[in-house]
Amino acid sequence: MAQPDFCSAGKTGATLSVDAARLRAVAAVAPMREAEDLPLDLALGRVLASPPTARVDLPPFDNAAMDGYAVSTRDLAGDGPWRLPVSGRVAAGDTRSAILQPGTAVRIFTGAPIPSGADAVIMQERARRDSDTLIVSDAPRAALNIRRRGEDRRAGEPPLPCGHLLTAPRLALLAGTGIPRVSTFRKLRVGLFSTGSELQEPGSPLQHGQIYNSNRVMLRALLAQPWIELTDYGILRDDAGAIRATIRRAAEENDVVISSGGVSAGEEDHILDALRREDATLDVLKVAIRPGKPLTVGRVAGALYVGLPGNPYAAAVTFSQIAQPALRKAAGLTEIQDTWIPAVSGFDYDRATGRREYVPVTWDRRDGMGRPVLQRLGRGASASLSPIANARGIAVIEPDMPHVSEGQPLRVEPLLE
């Protein structure tokens, strides 16, 4: 006889603070180790796996920082003005070795090599020329308007450390030091599914009691990163056997598995029971966060598992606060994100204490100190979509704060990036 399915009567154990839950989620993953070699043109948005070595100095030679005239400050002793014959011309890309003759000046353009014997560049806006003679009224200091060889990076040094995201400016730095290819971590494999017999995909006809699956669209967009390889397992009906089979398959095929819905303690919430039957290690079961208390984080079959709430705002908050830092570590990213800004409340709000609350806000003015004056959006319902769609950020209200007064300092964080 087959063993009957059963439902969890609830989640036991202590309720964790948001910070403790985040730390446990991050601790549950090991940084990526597998790497692949890519040309720079294919490396945008990937994570650097090993520090490359600069092949040349940057810049590779002393060059002019702007258009003007290369001179020797030794020729400008005593009282001016000084008259210097213009003895030559050097443009960017000239490969010949220019020489500044004593007592003369050389016309030079931005990026051009500094002639031998010159130690300053007078910008053309401050130069006066009479036919083939440069008239200098104010003597420049040595090294003025000259970019020295290797002042940006030295050959043999690593331009970037391991674990950095390869952005467009960083790829430019690598190219400037002569590096054609980089070692990047392979893409993080992430499996995604939603649970709920009430869910339908947008565009499908809705029956009474059904809703459209907004979480799938939101989470797919959030996971559309160059360093993530996403597999979408679709919508799972509230069937314990099917949910367990999909969790097992997704955990075998991915580094991280993310679900939305089914993590509460109701009779149709089968995620927790499926994880236990699959011998999962569960590190986070309850979090003192509003919205989003029903959150599950653990490991199953070697993969990190993150079970997000089914309500959209709760899913958005728990993803940004708990799941995203763990994903970044799993992908090999080492840069710490710290993007909060100081703000002040433009509203009054009475609330229950005990949980850190994240309130969707916007602003259209700042106070005398330049801080945004926050306007609260919506009523804070975890199923609401309009407030998060219109929010410029989320205000953080600490667990022990029973009332928020107008003018009270608050911290604002990005909701989703």
Side-chain angles (χ1 to χ4, degrees), residues 43-48 160-168 170-171 225-227 328 332-335:
L44 179 64
R46 300 294 294 273
V47 184
L48 194 61
L160 295 172
C162 172
H164 272 42
L165 192 70
L166 290 172
T167 61
R170 289 172 176 175
L171 290 173
Q225 304 289 341
W227 46 273
R328 290 176 62 84
L333 282 160
T334 58
E335 296 177 278

Side-chain angles (χ1 to χ4, degrees), residues 28-39:
V29 297
M32 180 68 65
R33 290 288 181 261
E34 300 174 47
E36 58 183 343
D37 189 65
L38 292 177

Side-chain angles (χ1 to χ4, degrees), residues 110-134:
T110 303
I114 298 297
S116 175
D119 64 356
V121 172
I122 301 172
M123 61 188 298
Q124 65 182 21
E125 291 82 358
R126 296 187 178 179
R128 185 160 58 95
R129 187 165 173 174
D130 181 10
S131 185
D132 292 332
T133 299
L134 174 68

Side-chain angles (χ1 to χ4, degrees), residues 245-256:
T246 301
I247 288 177
R248 183 188 308 121
R249 177 189 169 194
E252 291 171 349
E253 296 175 345
N254 297 279
D255 306 299
V256 181

Side-chain angles (χ1 to χ4, degrees), residues 260-275:
S260 67
V263 292
S264 295
E267 293 184 1
E268 295 300 324
D269 295 320
H270 302 293
I271 292 290
L272 188 60
D273 293 326
L275 290 170

